[in-house]
Amino acid sequence: MKFWMAFLGFFLLLLLLLLTNTAARGEYGVVHVVSENWSKDYCILFSSDYVTLPRDLHHAPLLPLHDGTMAPWCPGKDSSRQVRPGAPRRRPLRHTTAMVMRGNCSFYAKGWLAQGQGAHGLLIVSRVSGQQCSDTTPAPQDPHQPLPGLTIPVAVLRYNDMLDILRHTHGSAEVRVALYAPPEPVLDYNMVITFILAVGTVAAGGYWAGLTEADRLQRRREDEGAPVDFTPAMTGAVVTMSCSIMLLLYFFYDCFVYVMIAVFGLGAGTGLYSCLAPLVRHLPLQQYRWPLPGHRACLQLPLLLLGGLCAAVTVLWIAHRNEDSWAWLLQDALGVAYCLLVLRRVRLPTLRNCASFLLALLAFDVFFVFVTPLLTRTGESIMVGVAAGPVDSVSRERLPMVLKVPWLSFSSLTLCDQPFSILGFGDIVVPGFLVAYCHRFDVQVRSRQVYFVACTAAYAVGLLVTFVAMVLMQMGQPALLYLVSSTLLTSLAVAACRQELALFWTGQGRAKTPRVTEQVI
């Protein structure tokens, strides 16, 4: 059992290194569609280099929608619809927003034709979803110069959204649309929820690790439930295999993502069982047990029922993982249990080992966020690309090794690309190892949780700094750069002030207190 837990804890660590947030792709807007008894918002892509959309729906003109998806709408395809410069203009689309198919001609040509017939806006339906804005919006040779003669907004609408609009508005006398681009929220209340989840998980994992250490010292023996010590050799193996997994995800995302989902399901189910088992053992059903042939252990009915419940919850999440309305709650619950399992079962015995592990993963995080954009063809960091999922992904799956909380403020970004803010498990577990180490050291030297409280507070401050940096720089951040710095420096400062730096560095707190008999307060 101990070997299994060591293997599981080691392998789980390889999968916990995803970045906090992702960057937006392109310039997003919203088209608000209204019929007699129905309305809905859809995502659009546009270029602000030549046109500015209203910032809110109240200032956006609500115009009739003209369905031109059955016409070619390209120069030379239908001469009756062409308008030459200087010729008398027929304006059959006066005060409307036209909707046409992508076709083979340029976006500018389509926009100019629509404007020449009096349209006040143009929606171009594209079957390719998730493209860069520069690829799907009209742009001149010099992107900093406005398009000559084109003054109406031209935007791209997804093909599936067009089908949804036609299905809901079939038979309606009149359909009206409004194009606008609501501002992106600088801050959202879901950051508060993410902050509470992350800090609460780190604090609970560190506290539980301290309780386990106190129990181990009292019993003076190692049992099956004892943590597994993490050696320096394992640090090198973790970093090497993490780089390999990141590259496999970047180049073979659609295949490898299902391996990650399966591994997360296994680890999350095990973590949920580990968190609930201590509570279940106090239920009044312990008399229902059956001895195993040839073993001293017994099968206990409460634990069997708990195992079935954890398996059912995990299967439920796997089956409905893409249900955005509620599946994120299950994912977050399983993710928290996942992190608690690792923090409890994996122990870094000395601060020397802990610091080398944290700094190695800090270098890994910074490299894949800040350095890889210089090496990739698109200029996007591998970490951000993997965390968000490739734009050309066929499976449309997302990696589950994150806490995700839906945005509470409406914006075009939440509608088009990022309905959730995410925090990677690595940003919880990696600094969480140091918090757990601090609490174990508190138990050894009987310092009444001084190190634990200081390191937990430092983690909270580091996470706030990460959020501020993300808002100011408007890009994904290597969160470990702030979290490792704040927690490591704070814990070293506390040890120096208490004149316990040598003991803290070597993890020899027991040398100062040969007998530890008190319970952790």
Side-chain angles (χ1 to χ4, degrees):
M1 182 65 179
K2 187 174 181 180
F3 172 79
W4 159 247
M5 294 308 302
F7 175 79
L8 179 61
F10 173 75
F11 190 70
L12 295 183
L13 287 174
L14 306 181
L15 310 177
L16 303 180
L17 301 169
L18 294 179
L19 188 63
T20 306
N21 290 279
T22 57
R25 298 188 185 91
E27 298 167 85
Y28 295 115
V30 177
V31 54
H32 181 69
V33 185
V34 180
S35 63
E36 290 89 343
N37 53 5
W38 173 83
S39 65
K40 188 175 180 180
D41 293 319
Y42 296 92
C43 172
I44 57 175
L45 293 171
F46 74 103
S47 174
S48 61
D49 290 332
Y50 75 98
V51 66
T52 301
L53 293 180
R55 305 299 283 174
D56 60 80
L57 181 60
H58 299 292
H59 292 88
L62 192 62
L63 302 174
L65 177 66
H66 172 78
D67 183 9
T69 54
M70 303 304 294
W73 210 276
C74 281
K77 299 294 184 181
D78 187 354
S79 60
S80 64
R81 307 191 67 138
Q82 308 310 307
V83 181
R84 298 175 179 271
R89 295 189 175 185
R90 298 181 302 156
R91 306 174 71 86
L93 304 182
R94 184 176 178 82
H95 297 302
T96 66
T97 296
M99 180 172 64
V100 301
M101 297 301 296
R102 171 67 180 88
N104 297 322
C105 57
S106 69
F107 283 38
Y108 170 68
K110 291 178 178 292
W112 193 79
L113 290 175
Q115 179 178 296
Q117 297 189 40
H120 283 204
L122 179 64
L123 292 173
I124 301 177
V125 179
S126 174
R127 293 178 181 269
V128 180
S129 60
Q131 286 203 16
Q132 298 285 347
C133 187
S134 59
D135 296 333
T136 56
T137 53
Q141 295 297 323
D142 183 358
H144 300 289
Q145 297 295 328
L147 291 175
L150 186 58
T151 58
I152 65 172
V154 179
V156 178
L157 178 71
R158 296 188 181 104
Y159 180 77
N160 289 337
D161 291 342
M162 182 269 291
L163 295 179
D164 190 63
I165 291 173
L166 297 180
R167 181 171 62 252
H168 282 94
T169 59
H170 180 69
S172 299
E174 185 176 43
V175 181
R176 293 179 174 270
V177 298
L179 278 60
Y180 69 108
E184 303 301 333
V186 177
L187 295 174
D188 191 272
Y189 289 114
N190 73 343
M191 289 187 176
V192 177
I193 301 175
T194 304
F195 178 83
I196 294 173
L197 283 175
V199 176
T201 302
V202 167
Y207 187 80
W208 200 357
L211 293 180
T212 304
E213 180 72 6
D215 184 67
R216 186 180 68 86
L217 293 178
Q218 285 179 1
R219 295 182 180 183
R220 295 286 179 175
R221 64 184 179 87
E222 299 287 346
D223 54 22
E224 279 194 0
V228 177
D229 286 342
F230 201 80
T231 64
M234 291 182 181
T235 298
V238 165
V239 174
T240 301
M241 295 187 69
S242 297
C243 293
S244 301
I245 290 175
M246 190 64 62
L247 293 175
L248 284 172
L249 284 169
Y250 185 73
F251 291 106
F252 307 102
Y253 183 88
D254 285 321
C255 298
F256 207 70
V257 67
Y258 293 105
V259 177
M260 305 294 284
I261 292 173
V263 172
F264 172 76
L266 175 63
T270 305
L272 187 61
Y273 179 88
S274 176
C275 292
L276 297 180
L279 301 177
V280 172
R281 288 191 177 97
H282 292 86
L283 294 178
L285 296 174
Q286 296 300 323
Q287 65 273 20
Y288 298 100
R289 59 178 65 191
W290 302 273
L292 292 174
H295 296 80
R296 295 182 180 180
C298 298
L299 287 177
Q300 301 179 21
L301 178 61
L303 296 182
L304 286 176
L305 295 177
L306 176 62
L309 175 63
C310 294
V313 172
T314 304
V315 171
L316 179 65
W317 173 81
I318 292 176
H320 300 280
R321 62 187 179 276
N322 294 320
E323 295 287 343
D324 288 344
S325 59
W326 59 270
W328 65 273
L329 292 169
L330 274 183
Q331 179 169 324
D332 288 353
L334 292 171
V336 168
Y338 192 175
C339 295
L340 292 177
L341 171 68
V342 177
L343 292 176
R344 183 192 179 196
R345 291 298 187 185
V346 180
R347 175 179 59 190
L348 285 96
T350 68
L351 183 63
R352 180 173 58 249
N353 291 351
C354 193
S356 62
F357 178 72
L358 266 64
L359 292 176
L361 294 184
L362 168 60
F364 167 86
D365 206 11
V366 171
F367 174 80
F368 276 95
V369 174
F370 286 154
V371 179
T372 54
L374 305 176
L375 307 176
T376 57
R377 183 180 58 183
T378 60
E380 182 185 49
S381 75
I382 291 180
M383 184 78 80
V384 172
V386 168
V391 295
D392 56 351
S393 172
V394 177
S395 64
R396 312 306 299 172
E397 294 283 356
R398 293 292 181 264
L399 288 174
M401 283 73 172
V402 294
L403 297 180
K404 52 192 295 188
V405 181
W407 290 94
L408 303 179
S409 300
F410 176 78
S411 70
S412 55
L413 184 61
T414 61
L415 178 66
C416 298
D417 188 52
Q418 297 181 37
F420 299 92
S421 65
I422 61 174
L423 182 72
F425 289 172
D427 301 332
I428 298 174
V429 172
V430 173
F433 282 133
L434 180 57
V435 175
Y437 176 83
C438 287
H439 198 197
R440 291 190 180 101
F441 188 78
D442 280 324
V443 171
Q444 294 172 7
V445 302
R446 294 181 289 181
S447 58
R448 304 183 70 86
Q449 303 182 11
V450 172
Y451 290 90
F452 170 66
V453 172
C455 197
T456 303
Y459 175 83
V461 172
L463 191 58
L464 287 177
V465 173
T466 303
F467 289 161
V468 172
M470 179 194 66
V471 171
L472 294 179
M473 299 179 67
Q474 291 297 304
M475 62 177 295
Q477 295 294 307
L480 293 182
L481 177 64
Y482 311 101
L483 297 174
V484 170
S485 302
S486 61
T487 53
L488 192 57
L489 293 176
T490 300
S491 57
L492 288 173
V494 172
C497 292
R498 292 175 58 87
Q499 299 182 349
E500 297 172 338
L501 190 57
L503 294 175
F504 188 60
W505 180 255
T506 58
Q508 298 299 318
R510 282 170 291 177
K512 184 176 179 180
T513 56
R515 295 186 64 185
V516 179
T517 58
E518 67 174 16
Q519 294 287 339
V520 180
I521 298 177

